[in-house]
Amino acid sequence: MAIVCGIDLGSRSVKIAVMESSSEGLPPQLKRLERLDTIGFYREYGRKVQGKLVVDFKALGLPEVDCLVSTGYGRNTLEVAGGETIPELKAHVRGAIFQTGLKDFTLVDLGGQDSKIIAVKNGRMVDFQTNDKCAASSGRYLENMANVLGMTLEELGDHAADPVELNSTCAVFGESELIGKIVEGEPMPRLAAGVNATIVKRILPLLRSYTSDIIVFTGGVAHNKAVRELLREGTAKEVVVPREPQFNGAIGCAIYGFEELGEEED
């Protein structure tokens, strides 16, 4: 039996997945999931030593592991000491395949500050698009808009019907446009639906060149029920959300670790 730790160094949060192989020939099992604020994680549990990120796993309460694999938003500047670093696209594909059991799909990952669309065929990445220059289709956009509306993210995700038209393609100007709609007296449910619809409207053009009938939806935005519904309606495709959409990258790192150890089943 082996224990592997996968770490996704995200822009807004750090996700950690600890997985253990089974002596009975079953797939690896999730033993622990942790999500921490990125700044707090670096301040309390990480320090840079000779160009690498040294993580205080004991302070995190994590067990000793046989393999450590990391990826994420900080991968270009910080390599986790004692482990291997893999590209985030590879990590997310591995995670999606493991969590869904699918090998042919389009992966849509909307994270805290970036978005990724990946075409997967026969378990391999064949095409992709990424956007980390603008937060307009990310979790940060939803957080900002929910604050303007005085709603929680959970409340925001309850509204998909009769959305107000929001045309700004910039997250910053989008707030001003939303405030203007509030001043005009638009009902809050329509405004919330408009925010959710805007997220989907921005990614639909990017999905036109992807032919799979199945979309695997991951990242923190996948928790938004309204965005899921609007994505399904807008694409007329099946939308599959894994059990742990926000931990998909960390889980993918762990699965890669088992592959390197030779313990992941075909």
Side-chain angles (χ1 to χ4, degrees):
M1 295 176 65
I3 299 177
V4 175
C5 178
I7 302 180
D8 182 1
L9 299 167
S11 60
R12 308 295 302 282
S13 63
V14 172
K15 281 79 66 177
I16 300 173
V18 178
M19 302 183 70
E20 185 177 59
S21 62
S22 172
S23 59
E24 301 174 356
L26 298 173
Q29 300 296 308
L30 278 170
K31 303 298 291 184
R32 184 171 173 181
L33 295 173
E34 292 282 347
R35 183 165 67 92
L36 303 99
D37 172 75
T38 296
I39 300 302
F41 172 81
Y42 289 133
R43 184 175 58 242
E44 297 178 29
Y45 303 109
R47 56 191 176 91
K48 195 173 182 180
V49 179
Q50 296 181 344
K52 294 186 177 182
L53 178 66
V54 177
V55 178
D56 189 346
F57 291 102
K58 186 176 181 180
L60 281 166
L62 296 175
E64 291 188 10
V65 299
D66 299 289
C67 182
L68 172 65
V69 181
S70 65
T71 193
Y73 199 81
R75 71 195 185 287
N76 292 323
T77 55
L78 291 175
E79 178 182 349
V80 177
E84 182 175 354
T85 301
I86 64 173
E88 59 181 335
L89 299 183
K90 176 184 287 189
H92 282 276
V93 169
R94 289 288 203 287
I97 292 172
F98 176 79
Q99 290 205 81
T100 66
L102 299 170
K103 291 193 174 182
D104 296 277
F105 55 89
T106 299
L107 176 63
V108 175
D109 180 86
L110 302 183
Q113 201 162 279
D114 65 342
S115 58
K116 295 175 278 290
I117 299 176
I118 308 172
V120 180
K121 291 186 178 180
N122 297 319
R124 291 182 171 273
M125 178 175 63
V126 295
D127 193 12
F128 69 91
Q129 297 181 67
T130 63
N131 175 24
D132 60 0
K133 305 299 183 185
C134 175
S137 57
S138 70
R140 172 169 284 184
Y141 172 81
L142 288 179
E143 290 175 5
N144 291 348
M145 294 305 189
N147 286 334
V148 171
L149 294 173
M151 294 182 174
T152 65
L153 286 173
E154 290 75 16
E155 290 169 338
L156 184 71
D158 288 334
H159 302 286
D162 193 23
V164 165
E165 184 76 16
L166 297 173
N167 296 308
S168 177
T169 58
C170 173
V172 176
F173 295 136
E175 288 188 37
S176 298
E177 184 181 15
L178 184 61
I179 292 170
K181 295 292 184 181
I182 294 172
V183 172
E184 291 173 9
E186 291 288 356
M188 285 296 172
R190 290 197 66 212
L191 292 170
V195 169
N196 294 321
T198 300
I199 288 275
V200 176
K201 184 169 64 176
R202 289 187 181 119
I203 64 172
L204 284 180
L206 305 178
L207 287 169
R208 287 174 184 156
S209 60
Y210 295 84
T211 58
S212 175
D213 292 328
I214 299 176
I215 292 174
V216 175
F217 188 17
T218 62
V221 179
H223 288 296
N224 183 304
K225 181 174 64 176
V227 172
R228 296 197 303 265
E229 293 175 1
L230 292 166
L231 182 60
R232 187 178 297 110
E233 293 174 5
T235 60
K237 296 181 178 182
E238 180 183 0
V239 176
V240 176
V241 178
R243 182 175 180 178
E244 300 291 348
Q246 201 164 2
F247 288 89
N248 189 63
I251 291 171
C253 285
I255 293 302
Y256 177 85
F258 282 113
E259 292 172 356
E260 292 296 288
L261 292 172
E263 297 199 19
E264 167 69 349
E265 291 189 330
D266 296 330

